[in-house]
Every structure is written in structure tokens, then in C-alpha cells.
């Protein structure tokens, strides 16, 4: 069985955005929130650059995958992205058989106890 490459387990690395790149992303979107499609008042409203497809869900850390978003819209999307990512990781662990059962079968291999041929139950060493 081949080993799993470490790059398959993590998420895409996030790079720093320069003010010039932030401005280019803002101008490309014409100041419209990529999540709710409403105009962002850049002076009165708090906004951030948001990844359209989250990095933890396989999105690229490139300006094509970014856009301006209201802070409140981005917080709701980030919560949903974390939920979806955690679910995907749980499914992957279950599919690969890497999960350790919480309730092992009595006297099974995962149990602390071992049942001998004569029927006695002893602690597993």
C-alpha cells in the first residue's frame, strides 16, 4: 500500500496580499460583494478579501479565486466552509479505515480484555 503524500492531507497555503493586489481584486469586482452581490461602501462598511472556493476545500490562493466581501457575509461563509471541510475529513478517515472505534466489540482486538479458549477473560497485555 503506497504512503499518502503529506500534500494530500493539508490545505493550500495562504500568501500575503499586497495593497496593490487588494486594489486590483476590488476593481475587478467593481466593489460588489462576491457573496451577496450587494455594493460595498468601502469607507463606511468593513470588508475583506474572501476566497470564493475555500482553501481548505481545495481552492487556489490566486486572485482569480478571490473577491471583496462584507465581513458579516464572509463570517457566515467561513463557518459553512469549516463545517463542510470537517465533514469531508471525517468521511475520508472513515473511508480509509483510519478511525479508531469508540466502542470496541467485547473481547475483540481493540478491547482491553481478551477471552481465552477456556472461557476466562483476562486483561490484554
Amino acid at each position: 500500500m503506497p504512503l499518502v503524500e503529506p500534500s494530500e492531507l493539508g490545505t493550500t497555503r495562504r500568501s500575503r496580499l499586497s495593497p496593490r493586489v487588494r486594489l486590483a481584486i476590488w476593481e475587478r469586482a467593481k466593489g460588489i460583494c462576491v457573496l451577496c452581490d450587494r455594493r460595498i461602501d468601502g469607507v463606511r462598511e468593513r470588508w475583506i478579501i474572501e476566497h470564493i472556493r475555500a482553501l481548505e476545500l481545495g481552492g487556489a490562493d490566486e486572485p482569480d479565486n478571490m473577491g471583496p466581501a462584507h465581513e458579516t457575509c464572509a463570517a457566515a461563509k467561513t463557518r459553512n466552509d469549516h463545517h463542510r471541510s470537517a465533514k469531508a475529513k471525517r468521511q475520508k478517515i472513515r473511508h480509509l479505515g483510519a478511525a479508531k472505534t469508540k466502542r470496541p466489540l467485547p473481547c475483540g482486538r481493540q478491547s482491553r480484555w481478551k477471552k481465552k479458549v477456556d472461557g476466562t477473560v483476562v486483561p490484554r497485555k
Side-chain angles (χ1 to χ4, degrees):
M1 181 173 166
L3 295 174
V4 177
E5 292 295 321
S7 62
E8 294 178 25
L9 299 176
T11 60
T12 308
R13 296 201 42 102
R14 182 184 308 268
S15 61
R16 288 195 169 270
L17 288 178
S18 68
R20 189 170 298 197
V21 174
R22 283 176 55 92
L23 179 62
I25 293 170
W26 171 271
E27 288 176 347
R28 186 185 71 225
K30 298 181 176 100
I32 296 175
C33 177
V34 294
L35 302 176
C36 69
D37 293 328
R38 288 184 297 159
R39 192 143 200 52
I40 301 172
D41 184 357
V43 177
R44 293 184 181 93
E45 294 178 317
R46 295 180 59 98
W47 64 278
I48 63 170
I49 297 295
E50 177 70 21
H51 287 90
I52 297 166
R53 180 179 172 122
L55 297 180
E56 62 187 339
L57 294 173
D61 192 30
E62 298 172 356
D64 295 340
N65 187 35
M66 298 179 192
H70 295 102
E71 245 185 17
T72 54
C73 297
K77 178 187 172 291
T78 301
R79 245 188 333 272
N80 185 31
D81 290 342
H82 289 321
H83 172 73
R84 290 175 50 206
S85 172
K87 183 176 180 180
K89 287 177 184 176
R90 285 192 306 268
Q91 287 175 339
K92 185 175 183 178
I93 288 171
R94 208 174 310 124
H95 177 73
L96 294 174
K100 186 176 180 182
T101 179
K102 293 178 184 170
R103 296 180 3 170
L105 291 173
C107 300
R109 287 188 181 264
Q110 301 293 325
S111 174
R112 295 183 321 142
W113 302 98
K114 175 169 70 172
K115 193 170 195 177
K116 292 182 144 188
V117 178
D118 64 0
T120 59
V121 178
V122 295
R124 192 176 294 274
K125 294 177 185 171

